[in-house]
Amino acid sequence: MPGLGDLERSVMDVLWDSHEARSAYDVQNALAADSERPLAATTVLTVLSRLEKKGFVRRERVERPHRYSAVASREDHMAELMHEVLGGADDRQAVLARFVGQVSPAEAEALRKLLSAN
Amino acid sequence: MPGLGDLERSVMDVLWDSHEARSAYDVQNALAADSERPLAATTVLTVLSRLEKKGFVRRERVERPHRYSAVASREDHMAELMHEVLGGADDRQAVLARFVGQVSPAEAEALRKLLSAN
DNA sequence: AGCTATTTCTACGCTCTGTAGAACTCGTTC
DNA sequence: GAACGAGTTCTACAGAGCGTAGAAATAGCT
């Protein structure tokens, strides 16, 4: 249930950026584009397996190159993380107060709209 | 820059719950109250030192039993964590939309008030 | 049945965290 | 001022998580 490591997060980013299911090779190539040294195929597979075990990634074993996809969208994931933080608070309202106190005016306005849209 | 471990969080909780600066012994006793097995004094000191290095705790070395206190309030800390999560998003508004979409009606109302209070 | 692409198993080094003994320091006592 | 004791710093180690990948197993194709 812990968070994500650096490489794990990079892999999630790849899956999030291409909204379809991807093979391990796709992920490997996408990662290679960003960094000099390419990762071994097994490394990518290991990370994907760990992400699956953690519940962040879904794997389709139908075709031979298995396809992987993110369980939740990046936005849902992040919103969930924020709720997790908030969940550990005894005084949620106080935390929310501090939180909205630090958002930019533009974002405050956006929040107002979101909340009134109801 | 990583997060907090279980014991580290417990120590922070002690400091947060008593809003004044506390000695390591105070922390040790508070922790002993919650769990069966008491921790060694050095363990508490080590954790407090690590928390200081991480910037979560401030230490006053004036008196002989040093006094420790939380740098930020629990609420500020949590709001900060939420902003950290949000900071990693490319589309912040989308994350905020998901986030407010999952708050309870009561909290949504509270948020409305907080935002209109400008 | 054998070759090749892919996946699973196993493993190792590094960092972080919980845990604490050993060693050191500083104010107080004889 | 030498010894003592409370408190602090140093050093250490084990376990978990993660990056990393070779070795071994598997599965489809020829």
Side-chain angles (χ1 to χ4, degrees):
Chain A
M1 341 294 158
L4 299 173
D6 288 340
L7 179 54
E8 290 175 333
R9 191 173 312 270
S10 299
V11 168
M12 288 308 297
D13 276 333
V14 171
L15 294 181
W16 277 326
D17 283 339
S18 86
H19 218 289
E20 348 162 31
R22 285 296 178 182
S23 74
Y25 267 118
D26 291 340
V27 174
Q28 184 185 26
N29 287 335
L31 291 175
D34 290 326
S35 61
E36 275 324 296
R37 195 158 98 60
L39 295 168
T42 54
T43 299
V44 179
L45 265 302
T46 300
V47 171
L48 283 167
S49 292
R50 287 177 182 165
L51 287 171
E52 188 196 18
K53 182 172 302 178
K54 290 184 184 180
F56 293 114
V57 157
R58 186 188 311 114
R59 160 167 22 186
E60 298 162 38
R61 295 169 196 258
V62 280
E63 292 170 32
R64 190 43 163 153
H66 296 177
R67 316 305 286 299
Y68 302 84
S69 54
V71 166
S73 75
R74 192 199 320 252
E75 288 73 30
D76 281 341
H77 172 67
M78 286 180 162
E80 205 176 304
L81 279 188
M82 289 172 68
H83 274 289
E84 266 171 41
V85 172
L86 194 57
D90 43 302
D91 189 348
R92 300 166 57 94
Q93 308 251 128
V95 176
L96 285 174
R98 306 295 192 296
F99 176 75
V100 300
Q102 290 170 247
V103 299
S104 71
E107 277 171 357
E109 180 53 35
L111 279 174
R112 249 185 297 261
K113 280 210 182 80
L114 286 166
L115 287 161
S116 62
N118 189 339
Chain B
M1 338 284 158
L4 299 173
D6 288 341
L7 180 53
E8 289 175 333
R9 190 173 312 271
S10 299
V11 168
M12 287 309 297
D13 277 332
V14 171
L15 294 181
W16 277 325
D17 284 339
S18 88
H19 220 289
E20 347 162 31
R22 287 296 180 180
S23 75
Y25 267 118
D26 292 339
V27 174
Q28 185 185 26
N29 287 336
L31 291 175
D34 290 326
S35 61
E36 275 323 297
R37 195 158 98 60
L39 294 169
T42 54
T43 299
V44 179
L45 266 301
T46 300
V47 171
L48 283 168
S49 293
R50 287 177 182 169
L51 287 172
E52 189 197 18
K53 182 170 303 178
K54 291 184 185 181
F56 293 113
V57 156
R58 185 188 310 113
R59 162 170 15 189
E60 297 162 40
R61 295 166 194 261
V62 279
E63 294 171 28
R64 191 42 163 152
H66 297 177
R67 319 301 289 296
Y68 302 83
S69 53
V71 165
S73 75
R74 194 200 318 253
E75 288 73 30
D76 281 341
H77 171 67
M78 286 179 163
E80 205 176 303
L81 279 187
M82 289 171 67
H83 275 289
E84 266 172 41
V85 172
L86 194 57
D90 43 301
D91 188 348
R92 299 165 58 94
Q93 308 250 128
V95 176
L96 285 173
R98 306 295 192 297
F99 177 74
V100 300
Q102 288 169 248
V103 299
S104 71
E107 277 171 357
E109 180 53 35
L111 280 174
R112 252 185 294 259
K113 282 212 181 77
L114 287 165
L115 287 162
S116 63
N118 187 352

